[in-house]
Amino acid sequence: MGNTLLKMQNITKEFPGVKALDQVNIEVEEGEIHAICGENGAGKSTLMNVLSGIYPYGSYSGDIIFNGKECRFHTIKESEHQGIAIIHQELALVPYLSLAENMFLGNEQATSGVINWDLTYQKCAEYMKMVGLHENPHTLVKDIGMGKQQLAEIAKALAKSVKLLILDEPTSSLNESDAKNLLDLLLEFKKNRGITSILISHKLNELAYCADKITIIRDGHTIETLVKGKDEISEARIIKGMVGREMTSRFPPREHHIGDVALEIKDWTVYHPLYADRKVVNNASINIHRGEVVGVAGLIGAGRTELAMSIFGKAYGTHISGELYLDGKLVELHSIAQAITDGLAYVTEDRKGNGLIVPDSIKHNITLARTVFISKNGILDKDLELHKAKEIREKLNVKTPSVEQLVGNLSGGNQQKVLIGKWIFAQPNVLLLDEPTRGIDVGAKYEIYQIINNLVAQGKAVLMISSELPELLGMCDRIYVMNESRIIAELDGNDASQESIMGYIMQDSKGEIGA
Amino acid sequence: MNKVKRLFKGNLKQYSLLIALVAIIAFFQIVTGGLLLKPMNVSNIVFQNAYVVILAIGMLMCILTGGNIDLSVGSVVALVSAAAGQMIIVWKWDVYFSIGICLILGIMVGIWQGFWIAYVRIPAFIVTLSGQLVFRGATLLLLNGMTLAPFPSNYLMFSTGFIAKAARVNFMGTELNIVCLITGVAIALIFCVVQVISNNSRKRKGYETVTPLALALKLLVISAALIWFFTLLAQYQGIPTVLVILGALLIVYTFFTTKTVAGRHLYALGGNEKAARLSGVKTNRLFFLAYVNMGFLAAVAGMVFAARLNSASPVTGTSFELDAIGACFIGGASAYGGVGTVGGTLIGALIMGMLNNGMSIMGLSSNLQQVVKGLVLLGAVAMDVISKMNLDLLPKRKKAVVLEGAKS
């Protein structure tokens, strides 16, 4: 391998009351893909923010040596100038600007302040080609999917002649095939362009696929760096490093006591709210028993979220047709409020956008969906509310000293627990969980799985939508496979495998094209 | 000790506002040589600011829905006072009946604007900007550009009168209004008793309580402030009628925002509308009702103000919306919605009111007064924004907005 491109030595960064980074060391060689993994709150993002100048020189201690020079970045601009580009988990594209405008935002192709649009669009097309993004440079960012937006971000970094590309959980909102494309792209960059990448990821299979080295960070310390080919790289080893304990199993065991059908839909069809002729759910029929975890697998855009939300009091879609049975009784849910009263809960995939009131306290968030439980005649009993919120906190092990704490101050895993706690408080019979472990670390995931197991042990029914197939395989009694708005298969949890699920999807998509 | 610390920390925002208010009062008291807190001037301050507080309460409800403001309230105040003038002065209608009609008029204005804002989803800024023009124009049409005056005394009673003005006794050499004094003491007592009872019941149920010392301190300070305030009023003419209206509104809206389900839903709507909707909150209806309520309170303010001027003039209420919005933001309401209290808004209005009154007594030109008020508004909101940066809430929210757009 080549020379050392980046060396971060004894980096220590303190926030009031917390040492986020404590003497962290990391060395990245030129032309390698270096993965950093660690639990949420371990300090990965903080480290990258130090590197890219978001936390300016002086606010941390330690040295950064990049390309043989000691660097003291005060702004992101300065680090970008040196060829360091960071792509955040939450994309920073402007939805109502075109791809080309976004790509050269802050790096406009201009002479003395006047933009050369011909050059802008031409260059944009070139860079998009490099990343395999086949779109018109005039297309607005809001009109393309998350996977393509991710590629656009990378093209944007290329446009700044990047030497070191930092990706913070780039695949957390991508489906498996988009995620693989992205990783292949990184491998291709490494091979043909000599671009070095730092990849922050929770997904261990991705690391095994493309990383040359893996540095594990826990509680602000570097634990170890594993080198491909030299050290044994296995999930068990990485997990052990991250959580500091052996995890014998990623999924907690569960006893199976399957009861009567709790929820059933028949011939369920939902149309898109804006494009009235587009079916987002097409003639779907599924059922969930009490005490059962039922998975829904499928690619992004297959209609899984739309299915769950349309069941939940018609929270999504128009012209919904089909029959909905709760505990064997035919019902029609006209509103979300009615769905909640009838024992449904929908735990959204987008916890900050659709799930939680971020600037409000934990206790207010927990009680919001069922304020009747803490009020009489429309008047709140705040003492009771506090009491109930504390109960939920204990039950779900939300790590916070007080339920008065604002949700915005919690880590992702704890926010997710509050979100689930909010719906447990609502005492549902059927929980529709949409990506319940997205963007949270392995330890917190395990705890969420335990919560799910407890719920089904109490006789509740759980529908679990997930883009992580191992999770579905590990947790579900049965799995429905959804593709292009239809349910295409129903598999037993024990017989299903990643290959069989992907096989169904591939075959179905092929059939569509052939027809 | 920790609990006391937490008590102070949790209410720091509210207390820091209170400290600012006390500092402003102290400053003007000194600079004006004690004129500011002369009994007559204290009554004056109540009269001068009553309408601002009423409007600001309504404005707070709108701001809570998501930083939405109502630019039309000044025009609605004008329209309602013109209607009151027309009915009471020109047509000689019964005062109570006319007041009823005026309140209905305000509610109808609220329904009109609320419909466009909540159900058609036209930005509140635009709907109420339109309302500002429409209702100002309607006022001019109604009054034909003229001023109507004077109102009969039984109408004026509601705003500029005093309660039991004649009940005065001589107490250690000063004439005092005994009703006012007794009311002040009674309110302080009731407040203390309620606080102690609720604290005890919390203790009995095993919930967290404040330490007796902290409670006693709090009750002492608040009771002393209340009794002192009523003593000042008693030295002049007693309790202004408008103070009763104001007190009732403050109690009702504080109760609504802190103790009711609907109030809680209002905060949720402003904090994250999508999350509120997915929690079963009827977001559109709540949004609509916030503006209906604003129309109602604008009507109340319009009648109070007409009585104070003792006339209905076509230029009444110009730029009142700015005072009301300013009071909310100085009082700690978030420009993004979901954060703000009635108490804070009251303090915000009083800070503005004290600045107005104090600077007028000092004889500063109204031009200079505007400059000062403008800077105070910016300073207050800047403090709010900077204090949130520590919580790291603001940047996240901004990012989230960009992302939401990208997904849809």
Side-chain angles (χ1 to χ4, degrees), chain B residues 60-394:
Chain B
L60 177 68
M61 302 302 129
C62 296
I63 289 173
L64 283 180
T65 62
N68 299 294
I69 51 176
D70 187 336
L71 294 174
S72 71
V73 292
S75 297
V76 180
V77 162
L79 180 65
V80 169
S81 59
Q86 186 69 27
M87 287 185 283
I88 297 170
I89 298 171
V90 180
W91 294 334
K92 311 258 186 260
W93 285 5
D94 177 61
V95 167
Y96 295 95
F97 179 72
S98 305
I99 288 175
I101 299 282
C102 284
L103 291 179
I104 292 171
L105 179 65
I107 290 171
M108 302 233 304
V109 165
I111 290 174
W112 166 255
Q113 301 201 112
F115 166 75
W116 293 109
I117 293 167
Y119 294 107
V120 188
R121 291 281 166 164
I122 297 173
F125 191 87
I126 294 166
V127 173
T128 59
L129 185 63
S130 144
Q132 189 180 58
L133 297 170
V134 169
F135 302 124
R136 178 66 62 188
T139 309
L140 288 164
L141 287 173
L142 191 65
L143 290 176
N144 220 348
M146 310 222 281
T147 299
L148 296 175
F151 280 100
S153 62
N154 60 343
Y155 176 74
L156 295 182
M157 249 316 286
F158 282 105
S159 172
T160 49
F162 293 91
I163 288 179
K165 204 166 159 183
R168 299 174 74 82
V169 293
N170 198 314
F171 182 74
M172 302 214 304
T174 35
E175 285 263 302
L176 288 176
N177 182 307
I178 190 73
V179 176
C180 176
L181 210 55
I182 292 171
T183 313
V185 174
I187 291 176
L189 266 179
I190 292 171
F191 178 76
C192 290
V193 170
V194 167
Q195 288 279 318
V196 169
I197 289 177
S198 89
N199 205 50
N200 279 349
S201 95
R202 286 169 68 116
K203 198 181 253 168
R204 209 176 44 247
K205 289 181 193 160
Y207 298 134
E208 209 170 311
T209 52
V210 293
T211 56
L213 183 73
L215 184 69
L217 202 70
K218 180 181 161 192
L219 293 181
L220 193 73
V221 170
I222 293 175
S223 314
L226 275 171
I227 292 174
W228 173 70
F229 173 63
F230 276 91
T231 312
L232 282 176
L233 291 177
Q235 285 176 38
Y236 186 56
Q237 308 258 24
I239 305 170
T241 326
V242 71
L243 190 64
V244 179
I245 300 177
L246 214 55
L249 288 175
L250 285 171
I251 291 169
V252 167
Y253 282 90
T254 302
F255 183 81
F256 171 77
T257 49
T258 58
K259 301 265 181 185
T260 66
V261 169
R264 172 67 55 77
H265 284 177
L266 190 62
Y267 283 92
L269 166 63
N272 183 346
E273 183 174 350
K274 285 186 189 168
R277 195 177 80 87
L278 281 175
S279 303
V281 175
K282 303 216 159 65
T283 48
N284 285 357
R285 196 172 69 184
L286 210 54
F287 206 176
F288 172 72
L289 289 177
Y291 277 88
V292 175
N293 174 65
M294 181 77 253
F296 169 75
L297 287 180
V300 174
M303 286 185 290
V304 166
F305 196 71
R308 176 169 156 71
L309 284 189
N310 196 6
S311 65
S313 137
V315 292
T316 302
T318 313
S319 80
F320 277 15
E321 57 277 354
L322 302 182
D323 289 337
I325 295 166
C328 290
F329 288 144
I330 291 176
S334 159
Y336 300 97
V339 177
T341 60
V342 173
T345 302
L346 172 67
I347 295 174
L350 286 178
I351 288 178
M352 291 278 256
M354 288 295 171
L355 285 172
N356 276 331
N357 189 276
M359 289 192 292
S360 298
I361 296 176
M362 281 171 69
L364 295 183
S365 76
S366 64
N367 305 341
L368 188 59
Q369 289 189 25
Q370 287 203 20
V371 173
V372 173
K373 272 162 43 185
L375 291 175
V376 167
L377 175 62
L378 182 66
V381 178
M383 250 174 64
D384 179 49
V385 170
I386 291 165
S387 74
K388 263 187 204 132
M389 275 176 187
N390 296 339
L391 288 176
D392 207 26
L393 287 175
L394 202 72

Side-chain angles (χ1 to χ4, degrees), chain A residues 14-239:
Chain A
E14 281 183 63
F15 293 108
V18 203
K19 226 177 205 180
L21 296 175
D22 191 5
Q23 302 280 329
V24 170
N25 293 296
I26 187 167
E27 245 188 89
V28 179
E29 277 178 34
E30 210 164 331
E32 72 178 5
I33 297 179
H34 194 116
I36 297 181
C37 57
E39 289 195 295
N40 276 346
K44 297 162 300 189
S45 298
T46 311
L47 185 65
M48 292 306 112
N49 287 344
V50 166
L51 174 58
S52 61
I54 292 175
Y55 298 134
Y57 176 77
S59 71
Y60 59 89
S61 66
D63 302 317
I64 300 175
I65 295 156
F66 183 70
N67 228 352
K69 275 184 302 195
E70 196 195 336
C71 295
R72 297 176 171 186
F73 300 129
H74 293 91
T75 60
I76 308 178
K77 262 246 138 79
E78 288 179 28
S79 67
E80 275 178 356
H81 200 71
Q82 294 291 322
I84 299 176
I86 182 161
I87 296 173
H88 290 279
Q89 194 174 356
E90 294 173 334
L91 299 182
L93 296 170
V94 185
Y96 283 92
L97 289 183
S98 72
L99 279 167
E101 284 167 316
N102 266 292
M103 195 167 295
F104 293 100
L105 196 59
N107 180 26
E108 281 80 4
Q109 300 302 298
T111 32
S112 45
V114 180
I115 294 177
N116 182 342
W117 285 112
D118 292 331
L119 184 67
T120 302
Y121 286 114
Q122 186 209 339
K123 276 192 160 182
C124 173
E126 273 172 36
Y127 287 118
M128 287 201 308
K129 212 171 145 196
M130 286 182 201
V131 298
L133 178 61
H134 305 292
E135 282 288 340
N136 187 326
H138 293 271
T139 307
L140 299 187
V141 162
K142 73 176 176 70
D143 295 327
I144 62 174
M146 284 298 267
K148 287 183 173 175
Q149 289 187 20
Q150 193 73 258
L151 293 177
E153 276 272 21
I154 293 174
K156 184 178 172 182
L158 287 182
K160 289 174 187 159
S161 55
V162 62
K163 289 199 196 80
L164 175 64
L165 192 60
I166 303 166
L167 300 109
D168 193 352
E169 309 233 16
T171 60
S172 66
S173 46
L174 302 187
N175 62 34
E176 303 238 340
S177 67
D178 280 352
K180 183 157 184 305
N181 277 343
L182 184 78
L183 298 177
D184 286 339
L185 192 66
L186 292 185
L187 289 170
E188 197 254 346
F189 280 171
K190 173 180 121 177
K191 211 169 108 195
N192 298 334
R193 291 175 206 280
I195 294 176
T196 315
S197 318
I198 293 180
L199 178 66
I200 296 176
S201 178
H202 280 309
K203 295 188 182 169
L204 305 175
N205 58 338
E206 288 177 11
L207 305 183
Y209 181 68
C210 69
D212 299 307
K213 281 183 196 157
I214 299 175
T215 295
I216 299 168
I217 295 183
R218 188 205 316 152
D219 301 331
H221 299 270
T222 2
I223 301 300
E224 58 178 343
T225 298
L226 306 173
V227 182
K228 199 176 198 169
K230 227 197 262 158
D231 299 290
E232 170 226 359
I233 296 185
S234 69
E235 288 200 359
R237 166 120 189 225
I238 296 173
I239 291 175

